[in-house]
């Protein structure tokens, strides 16, 4: 056991015990963590060598200690290293999405030839230099209250700009909405002569304001959507009524869209009916402080939304915009919907959370001539508005069957097949992993790294002093590997084959897609790994012999928001006519791009091939994994991914895989079995919650009052928690305070609702995603009352935010990762979960970047050092008792005084999304373990296990 213990520990890079700390702008500081876990002090700092993984352009380390990189100091030998200042945050409600974008950009541009310093603008417009580790926080709220003590603050924005002028070569602003796209940050940088990526301040101001942009588009000869401006307190109900009538809308019930003029493309967008409702919703937006300039637009019924990325490939100030393959945005309805769903618009939630409510089609399902016209118009618009480097332009295509907009004759957008309207210009498009930028870029041959670096290098062309950085560098784009597995594979020395499997048909399949995509992109950083993303198709897509299906995917097909989209894209890709059309459009765009890109020495070619997906039965896929000696990285949440089925299939063929084995997975998937397996540990401070399991059929057929009385009597409680017995940890979980709440939940099961709307129960709560199909068995438990921890905002004379503790129970909810080998599992630092809406963490709060708050590590003001160490010891006891290996996540309640833990559940395939708590916990270790290194460690543990 001792030798196994040492062998494992020496391979984990985050076990280094040196007193590690770097300055606020350095690469490796996360939080000042006096409670960081101490490990064996005998390990050497130099056990492993650092390796360069040039494929994605990121300096990746496989060593025990990661070299400290101070991004603001570059030696003379590295004078050609381009120093990029990445600025995120800002005062808008989209600052969380900005953090997601910064994280994605950081992942894909940093390398030996390009170093990144990270900066953050808070809600109050204070600027800070932050560590890159903080960029991996789930939301700005995770560290906002710590900024003044942990980050380097600037006394003013001017001081911040002076620092940038001295410390970086070029700035890449990824602030969405106000101060990022309205010309604010651009004006600041221009004033201090700091080069930056993107459009100039004057042009930003004109394009960002939707009302001003609409006037400018109309002036330039484009068709626009009729709109009415509501500004401040100057509300003229009579004039708005006249506008309704002039646009053939009923003043009492006419359907319109109400949206802020200066709040990005998603914030505050809502549907209204008639003049009174329009004014009410406009006033609501104004009173909420979102904007004091509100647009009322006619609702475009029956048309299709589209969005198009425009890339400038000209030289210097010679603009040559090329529009990539546009994406059609399709709003979808599933199951029962109420009027609010039928009024569906492409709002903030649909844009940023994986959901079946929206699907994307790239290229769009429009006639070829319409696609060509969309690309032509967006290119003209980009040039006429004076935009730079890149932008995203949104619009509508209205078929001829629709009523033609007034005053559209003779303007650009009128075609024989319908009307094209451009209605929103995004100066800093979202850059999350599966954003439109990367979807469309990958369709025409760009990887994430390649498109981002191309944008940065193009921006450098405008600044003569950056010319030396635009010469061909050692960074070469990664060539995507062809999907067919030929005999030559095994002859490639030192190359390991990795299959990343995600999808399935549980309610967490969309989170699984996010996890798998993140793992795949991070593992692509290692040139010695040949990584193939694979989709486990839903059970209704089966092979000829009735078995489950796995699709091996090309790069571009992974970048979707839902597994249904991925599957549809696979089927579409192998349909000959559609494949031919996509190939034709791809070649057309690539030819347009190459006309100018070939003149730039920094562009070394496209790196994503035009490949087809390959379909296998699950059994044949497992045999293929054995044949090519692949290791399978399991990212399938729930179902066969966590109940031991998949693990058993792989183990029977001797295929190594990540995570626990079949037996442990089966136990942990069953929440009742998990409690039974741990019930003997009560005297050691590991407690379990009493449970009552009910069949869905019984719930539907018994009176709700009878069920309620039985449950509260048996469980000896007044409030219940209900959850699926064998589903994931995020869906179908609700607090029930009375029999009426139980009746609402049962009705949701009966009606097969996909989601329970906010505040449907007696106690306030957020949106509750429901399993589809509904679970056959449900667990009822006493609801555990925990103390509420609130991140206070600045008020009065306070200079900083802080934590406010509300309650007297002394119990808090935690989630903690465990990692290691069988019998030697180690606890990472727990995260205290802070709920923003209601008592149950929502799907968004658990997995979607930009939402939810996690405190990692727990501040000493919440959990004492002694209690934290006792907690970790008990978490390790749980992991080893359940025979976990590789990695897992344990959710529990923690008594902050005694360190006792009350187990909630164990997730053997935990969420691995870009901002999940596992990443936070790995980064909280000393030294920090960055995502690529973390996932590589999990993979190495899998490859070395004995099957």
């Amino acid at each position: 056991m001792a030798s196994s213990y040492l062998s494992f520990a020496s391979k984990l890079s985050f076990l280094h015990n040196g007193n590690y700390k770097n300055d606020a702008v350095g690469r490796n500081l996360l939080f000042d963590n006096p409670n960081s876990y101490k490990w064996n002090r005998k390990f050497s700092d130099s056990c492993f060598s650092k390796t360069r993984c040039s494929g994605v352009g990121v300096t990746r380390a496989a060593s025990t200690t990661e070299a400290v990189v101070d991004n603001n100091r570059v030696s003379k030998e590295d004078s050609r290293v381009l120093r990029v200042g990445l600025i995120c945050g800002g005062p808008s409600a989209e600052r969380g999405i900005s953090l997601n974008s910064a994280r994605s950009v950081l992942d894909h541009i940093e390398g030996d030839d390009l170093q990144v310093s990270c900066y953050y603008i808070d809600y109050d417009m204070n600027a800070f230099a932050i560590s890159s580790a903080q960029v991996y926080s789930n939301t700005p709220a995770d560290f906002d209250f710590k900024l003044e003590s942990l980050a380097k603050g600037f006394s003013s924005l001017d001081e911040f700009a002076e620092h940038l002028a001295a410390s970086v070569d070029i700035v890449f602003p990824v602030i969405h909405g106000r101060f990022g796209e309205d010309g604010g940050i651009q004006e600041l940088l221009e004033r201090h002569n700091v080069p930056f990526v993107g459009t100039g301040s004057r042009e930003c101001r004109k394009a960002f304001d939707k009302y001003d942009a609409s006037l400018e588009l109309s002036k330039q000869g484009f068709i626009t959507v009729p709109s009415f401006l509501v500004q401040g307190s100057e509300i003229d109900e009579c004039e708005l009524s006249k506008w309704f009538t002039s646009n053939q809308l009923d003043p009492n019930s006419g359907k319109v869209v109400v949206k802020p003029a200066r709040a990005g493309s998603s914030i505050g967008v809502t549907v209204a009916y008639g003049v009174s409702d329009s004014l009410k919703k406009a006033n609501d937006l104004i009173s909420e402080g979102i904007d004091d300039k509100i647009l009322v637009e006619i609702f475009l019924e029956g048309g299709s939304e589209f969005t198009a990325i425009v890339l400038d490939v000209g030289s210097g100030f010679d603009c040559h915009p090329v529009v990539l393959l546009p994406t059609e945005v399709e709003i979808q309805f599933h199951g029962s919907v109420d009027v609010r769903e039928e009024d569906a618009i492409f709002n903030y939630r649909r844009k940023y959370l994986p959901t079946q409510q929206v699907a994307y089609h790239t290229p769009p399902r429009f006639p070829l001539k319409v696609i060509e016209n969309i690309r032509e118009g967006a290119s003209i618009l980009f040039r006429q508005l004076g935009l730079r480097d890149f932008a995203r332009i949104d619009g509508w295509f209205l078929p001829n069957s629709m009523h033609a907009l007034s005053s559209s004759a003779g303007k650009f957008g009128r075609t024989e097949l319908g009307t094209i309207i451009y209605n929103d210009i995004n100066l800093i498009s979202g850059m999350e992993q599966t954003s439109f930028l990367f979807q469309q870029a990958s369709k025409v041959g760009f990887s994430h790294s390649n498109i981002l670096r191309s944008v940065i290098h193009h921006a450098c062309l405008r600044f003569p002093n950056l010319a030396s950085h635009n010469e061909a560098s050692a960074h070469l784009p990664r060539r995507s590997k062809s999907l067919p597995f030929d005999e030559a594979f095994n002859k490639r020395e030192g190359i390991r084959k990795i299959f990343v499997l995600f999808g399935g048909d549980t309610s967490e399949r969309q989170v699984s897609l996010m996890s798998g995509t993140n793992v795949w992109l991070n593992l692509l950083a290692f040139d010695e790994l040949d990584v193939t993303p694979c989709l486990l198709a839903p059970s209704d897509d089966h092979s000829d012999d009735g078995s489950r299906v796995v699709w091996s995917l090309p790069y571009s097909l992974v970048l979707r928001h839902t597994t249904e989209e991925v599957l549809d894209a696979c089927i579409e890709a192998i349909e000959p006519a559609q494949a031919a059309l996509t190939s034709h459009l791809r070649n057309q765009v690539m030819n347009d791009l190459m006309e100018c890109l070939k003149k730039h020495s920094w562009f070394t070619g496209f790196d994503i091939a035009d490949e087809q997906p390959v379909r296998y039965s699950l059994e044949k896929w497992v045999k293929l994994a054995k044949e090519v000696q692949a290791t399978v990285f399991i990212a399938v949440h729930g179902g066969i991914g966590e109940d031991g089925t998949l693990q058993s299939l792989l183990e029977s063929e001797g295929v190594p895989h990540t995570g626990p084995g079949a037996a442990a997975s089966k136990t942990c998937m069953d929440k009742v079995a998990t409690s039974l397996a741990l019930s003997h540990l009560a005297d050691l401070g590991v407690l379990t919650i009493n449970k009552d399991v009910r069949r869905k059929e019984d719930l539907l057929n018994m009176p709700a009052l009878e069920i309620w009385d039985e449950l509260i009597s048996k469980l000896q409680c007044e409030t219940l928690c209900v959850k699926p017995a064998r589903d994931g940890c995020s869906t179908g979980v609700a607090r029930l305070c009375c029999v009426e709440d139980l009746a609402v939940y049962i009705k949701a099961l009966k009606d097969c609702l996909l989601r329970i709307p906010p505040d449907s129960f007696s106690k306030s709560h957020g949106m509750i995603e429901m399993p589809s199909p509904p679970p056959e068995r449900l667990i009822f438990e006493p609801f555990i009352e925990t103390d509420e921890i609130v991140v206070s905002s600045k008020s009065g004379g306070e200079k900083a935010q802080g934590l406010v503790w509300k309650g007297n129970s002394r119990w808090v909810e935690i989630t903690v990762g465990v990692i290691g080998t069988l019998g030697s599992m180690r606890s990472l630092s727990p995260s205290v979960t802070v709920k923003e809406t209601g008592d149950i963490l929502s799907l968004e709060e658990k997995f979607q970047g930009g939402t939810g708050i996690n405190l990692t590590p727990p501040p000493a003001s919440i959990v004492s050092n002694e209690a934290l160490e006792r907690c970790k010891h008990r978490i390790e006891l749980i992991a080893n008792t359940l025979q976990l290996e590789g990695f897992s996540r344990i959710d529990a309640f923690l008594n902050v005084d005694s360190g006792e833990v009350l187990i909630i559940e164990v997730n053997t395939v935990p969420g691995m999304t870009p901002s999940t708590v596992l990443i936070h916990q790995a980064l909280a270790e000393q030294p920090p373990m960055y995502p690529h290194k973390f996932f590589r460690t999990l993979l190495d543990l899998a490859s070395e296990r004995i099957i």
Side-chain angles (χ1 to χ4, degrees):
M1 177 66 73
S3 62
S4 172
Y5 174 93
L6 286 174
S7 174
F8 159 63
S10 65
K11 291 173 184 174
L12 296 187
S13 63
F14 54 69
L15 303 183
H16 170 59
N17 191 48
N19 294 322
Y20 187 92
K21 188 166 183 179
N22 191 19
D23 60 39
V25 273
R27 169 96 169 113
N28 289 314
L29 176 67
L30 178 64
F31 300 134
D32 191 3
N33 179 13
N35 304 322
S36 61
Y37 193 86
K38 304 302 180 185
W39 197 243
N40 194 307
R41 288 173 168 76
K42 297 180 181 179
F43 299 136
S44 168
D45 291 352
S46 57
C47 293
F48 292 82
S49 61
K50 188 173 181 181
T51 59
R52 162 71 179 157
C53 302
S54 60
V56 182
V58 183
T59 303
R60 304 306 195 188
S63 62
T64 296
T65 56
E66 185 171 17
V68 176
V69 178
D70 185 339
N71 294 325
N72 291 320
R73 291 190 292 273
V74 180
S75 67
K76 293 180 180 179
E77 293 79 12
D78 295 329
S79 60
R80 287 184 56 193
V81 172
L82 184 66
R83 300 171 302 166
V84 177
L86 188 63
I87 307 179
C88 63
S92 87
E94 289 187 281
R95 59 190 174 278
I97 302 303
S98 169
L99 189 63
N100 298 346
S101 292
R103 185 187 308 123
S104 183
V105 172
L106 176 65
D107 276 344
H108 295 291
I109 67 171
E110 192 168 44
D112 290 341
D113 61 336
L114 194 155
Q115 292 181 359
V116 182
S117 298
C118 298
Y119 301 92
Y120 174 71
I121 307 290
D122 73 5
Y123 184 80
D124 296 318
M125 298 292 290
N126 299 303
F128 298 88
I130 62 173
S131 71
S132 55
Q134 286 175 300
V135 174
Y136 293 94
S137 298
N138 195 37
T139 165
D142 281 356
F143 61 83
D144 265 344
F145 70 97
K146 302 178 182 179
L147 279 172
E148 295 193 12
S149 61
L150 292 180
K152 176 183 177 182
F154 299 95
S155 62
S156 67
L157 289 177
D158 283 327
E159 184 191 2
F160 172 48
E162 290 168 3
H163 164 84
L164 292 173
S167 305
V168 304
D169 299 310
I170 191 166
V171 165
F172 196 150
V174 290
I175 299 175
H176 304 309
R178 283 192 299 129
F179 195 65
E181 296 180 85
D182 63 359
I185 186 68
Q186 292 82 3
E187 183 178 13
L188 176 70
L189 297 172
E190 287 167 352
R191 200 165 63 239
H192 291 269
N193 297 313
V194 179
F196 61 89
V197 174
T199 300
S201 62
R202 185 173 64 87
E203 292 78 11
C204 280
R205 279 192 295 272
K206 186 179 296 185
F208 179 69
D209 186 306
K210 294 179 177 65
Y211 184 72
D212 291 346
S214 179
L215 294 177
E216 182 64 23
L217 261 64
S218 180
K219 179 181 175 182
Q220 297 287 351
F222 288 88
I223 300 172
T224 57
V225 182
S227 62
F228 183 90
L229 179 64
V230 177
Q231 190 161 15
S233 58
E234 302 172 11
I235 298 174
D236 192 329
E237 186 170 350
C238 181
E239 286 300 314
L240 180 57
S241 182
K242 289 179 182 178
W243 178 86
F244 265 73
T245 302
S246 67
N247 284 283
Q248 302 173 35
L249 296 171
D250 187 326
N252 296 314
S253 60
K255 191 174 179 181
V256 294
V257 174
V258 179
K259 59 185 179 183
R262 301 166 299 190
S265 60
S266 309
I267 299 295
V269 183
T270 185
V271 173
Y273 290 86
V275 174
S276 297
D277 191 31
S278 300
L279 290 178
K280 178 185 179 302
K281 289 179 175 174
N283 279 324
D284 288 345
L285 291 174
I286 294 171
S287 62
E288 290 169 14
I290 294 177
D291 198 0
D292 60 0
K293 192 174 180 181
I294 309 298
L295 279 183
V296 179
E297 291 182 345
I298 66 171
F299 189 101
L300 298 174
E301 304 255 22
S304 298
E305 281 192 76
F306 66 81
T307 185
I309 297 294
V310 188
L311 190 65
D312 186 1
V313 292
S315 299
F317 290 93
D318 179 19
C319 181
H320 188 105
V322 174
V323 182
L324 307 186
L325 287 183
T327 298
E328 175 190 357
V329 179
E330 179 190 12
I331 302 296
Q332 298 181 324
F333 307 105
H334 299 270
S336 301
V337 294
D338 59 18
V339 67
R340 286 172 293 179
E341 287 297 324
E342 290 168 357
D343 286 340
I345 53 178
F346 192 42
N347 59 16
Y348 185 87
R349 193 171 196 273
R350 289 188 175 95
K351 180 176 289 188
Y352 295 116
L353 181 70
T355 170
Q356 283 186 267
Q357 297 178 51
V358 63
Y360 305 104
H361 306 277
T362 309
R365 301 166 301 173
F366 303 158
L368 182 59
K369 185 62 177 175
V370 172
I371 296 174
E372 291 173 351
N373 286 340
I374 288 172
R375 293 188 63 230
E376 178 189 0
S379 176
I380 294 171
L381 193 156
F382 186 97
R383 188 190 297 270
Q384 290 185 349
L385 292 180
L387 309 187
R388 294 178 187 166
D389 299 329
F390 77 120
R392 196 187 85 228
I393 298 175
D394 302 339
W396 286 81
F397 170 59
L398 312 175
N400 268 337
S401 57
M402 293 189 56
H403 175 70
L405 293 173
S406 58
S407 326
S408 64
K411 292 193 173 184
F412 186 94
R414 289 292 298 158
T415 74
E416 296 177 356
L417 299 168
T419 304
I420 297 168
I421 301 173
Y422 302 98
N423 70 326
D424 201 2
I425 300 157
N426 298 270
L427 288 313
I428 301 177
S429 176
M431 285 167 270
E432 295 181 292
Q433 286 181 344
T434 58
S435 67
F436 294 125
L437 173 65
F438 300 126
Q439 284 185 38
Q440 295 180 23
S442 66
K443 277 288 187 180
V444 295
F446 289 102
S447 66
H448 288 63
S449 176
N450 202 4
I451 186 65
L452 290 171
R453 282 172 164 259
S454 294
V455 167
I456 293 170
H457 283 301
H458 181 270
C460 288
L461 294 174
R462 292 194 299 276
F463 307 98
N465 60 315
L466 299 180
S468 64
H469 297 288
N470 271 348
E471 297 175 11
S473 69
H475 170 78
L476 295 175
R478 184 187 189 90
R479 305 290 171 181
S480 70
K481 303 175 178 69
S482 59
L483 288 171
F485 304 103
D486 53 40
E487 296 179 0
F489 171 78
N490 290 322
K491 298 178 182 178
R492 289 154 56 192
E493 288 188 17
I495 300 296
R496 290 170 53 194
K497 187 67 190 174
I498 311 299
F499 290 172
V500 179
L501 184 66
F502 48 84
D505 51 10
T506 74
S507 56
E508 286 193 281
R509 60 194 179 276
Q510 316 308 359
V511 176
S512 172
L513 174 58
M514 295 169 65
S515 293
T517 301
N518 189 44
V519 170
W520 164 64
L521 287 172
N522 273 281
L523 292 181
L524 279 179
F526 298 93
D527 281 345
E528 69 273 19
L529 301 182
D530 186 4
V531 191
T532 301
C534 302
L535 172 74
L536 174 64
S539 53
D540 55 3
D541 176 26
H542 50 75
S543 61
D544 294 337
D545 61 4
S547 66
R548 296 291 293 267
V549 166
V550 175
W551 289 84
S552 184
L553 304 172
Y555 194 112
S556 66
L557 292 195
V558 185
L559 305 180
R560 298 292 188 276
H561 289 72
T562 68
T563 55
E564 289 77 13
E565 271 188 78
V566 177
L567 181 59
D568 289 345
C570 287
I571 295 170
E572 188 177 86
I574 60 176
E575 197 279 315
Q578 183 60 41
L581 174 62
T582 302
S583 180
H584 166 75
L585 290 169
R586 169 188 167 94
N587 290 336
Q588 187 178 71
V589 175
M590 291 176 75
N591 288 336
D592 291 346
L593 289 165
M594 279 305 295
E595 183 181 336
C596 285
L597 286 176
K598 65 185 179 184
K599 302 174 185 177
H600 301 306
S601 61
W602 47 263
F603 184 70
T604 52
F606 298 105
D607 54 341
I608 301 299
D610 188 10
E611 298 168 330
Q612 295 290 302
V614 182
R615 189 173 186 264
Y616 302 92
S617 69
L618 177 57
E619 287 73 16
K620 289 184 178 179
W621 180 82
V622 171
K623 290 185 182 299
L624 174 66
K626 178 181 181 180
E627 178 186 334
V628 301
Q629 301 175 26
T631 298
V632 174
F633 201 119
I634 300 175
V636 178
H637 303 312
I640 71 170
E642 287 195 76
D643 67 4
T645 301
L646 183 58
Q647 290 81 0
S648 181
L649 282 171
L650 293 168
E651 289 167 11
S652 67
E653 293 290 341
V655 177
H657 62 82
T658 54
S665 297
K666 183 177 181 181
T667 298
C668 294
M669 182 66 170
D670 188 324
K671 298 177 178 68
V672 175
T674 303
S675 290
L676 290 174
L678 300 173
S679 59
H680 65 289
L681 301 178
D683 291 342
L684 299 176
V686 176
L687 311 176
T688 57
I689 305 173
N690 293 330
K691 294 176 172 58
D692 188 89
V693 183
R694 299 283 174 129
R695 294 189 310 159
K696 180 188 70 174
E697 182 181 349
D698 294 336
L699 294 175
L700 297 180
N701 293 324
M702 286 179 62
L705 181 59
E706 182 179 341
I707 299 170
W708 180 262
D709 288 342
E710 287 182 4
L711 289 170
I712 61 174
S713 175
K714 179 177 180 179
L715 298 174
Q716 293 294 296
C717 64
E718 296 181 356
T719 306
L720 299 172
C721 179
V722 60
K723 62 182 71 172
R726 292 176 58 83
D727 215 313
C729 62
S730 306
T731 54
V733 184
R735 179 181 184 179
L736 308 178
C737 297
C738 56
V739 65
E740 289 78 13
D741 288 350
L742 176 61
V744 170
Y745 193 90
I746 292 173
K747 188 174 189 305
L749 294 174
K750 181 181 179 181
D751 295 342
C752 300
L753 293 185
L754 294 177
R755 63 199 66 87
I756 298 176
D759 301 330
S760 296
F761 298 125
S762 58
K763 189 170 176 61
S764 177
H765 65 87
M767 181 78 74
I768 298 174
E769 300 285 337
M770 293 295 287
S772 180
E776 291 303 317
R777 294 193 309 149
L778 293 111
I779 291 176
F780 291 88
E781 304 172 340
F783 182 84
I784 306 299
E785 293 281 357
T786 58
D787 288 347
E788 185 178 4
I789 298 170
V790 178
V791 178
S792 68
S793 58
K794 296 179 183 178
S795 60
E798 296 180 11
K799 293 184 177 181
Q801 295 173 306
L803 296 176
V804 177
W805 187 301
K806 297 181 179 180
N808 302 304
S809 76
R810 307 300 289 169
W811 288 89
V812 296
E813 187 174 347
I814 63 168
T815 185
V816 55
V818 289
I819 183 171
T821 55
L822 186 63
S824 299
M825 295 296 285
R826 172 181 177 268
S827 170
L828 300 178
S829 185
S831 300
V832 173
T833 54
V834 178
K835 298 174 283 291
E836 293 185 300
T837 53
D839 300 286
I840 304 293
L841 286 175
S842 67
L843 182 68
E844 291 100 322
E845 288 172 333
K846 280 200 175 182
F847 298 111
Q848 176 62 27
T851 58
I853 301 172
N854 297 293
L855 304 178
T856 309
S861 60
I862 295 177
V863 185
S864 69
N865 293 344
E866 295 76 14
L868 188 64
E869 291 304 315
R870 289 194 291 269
C871 167
K872 287 182 175 181
H873 173 74
R874 285 160 179 153
I875 290 295
E876 290 168 357
L877 177 62
I878 292 169
N880 292 322
T881 300
L882 293 172
Q883 295 190 298
L884 301 181
E885 57 185 310
F887 73 110
S888 295
R889 195 190 78 226
I890 297 174
D891 297 339
F893 298 108
L894 168 67
N895 185 293
V896 297
D897 298 319
S898 68
E900 290 179 302
V901 294
L902 179 59
I903 192 74
I904 300 173
E905 61 189 356
V906 178
N907 300 279
T908 54
V909 184
M912 292 168 277
T913 60
S915 57
T916 188
V917 290
L918 284 183
I919 302 297
H920 306 168
Q921 292 170 13
L923 286 165
E925 296 298 310
Q926 296 296 328
M929 173 180 274
Y930 283 81
H932 64 277
K933 200 170 176 185
F934 177 64
F935 292 126
R936 178 59 187 266
T937 299
L938 304 184
L939 183 67
D940 290 343
L941 286 169
S943 299
E944 295 164 13
R945 73 192 302 163
I946 299 174
I947 302 290

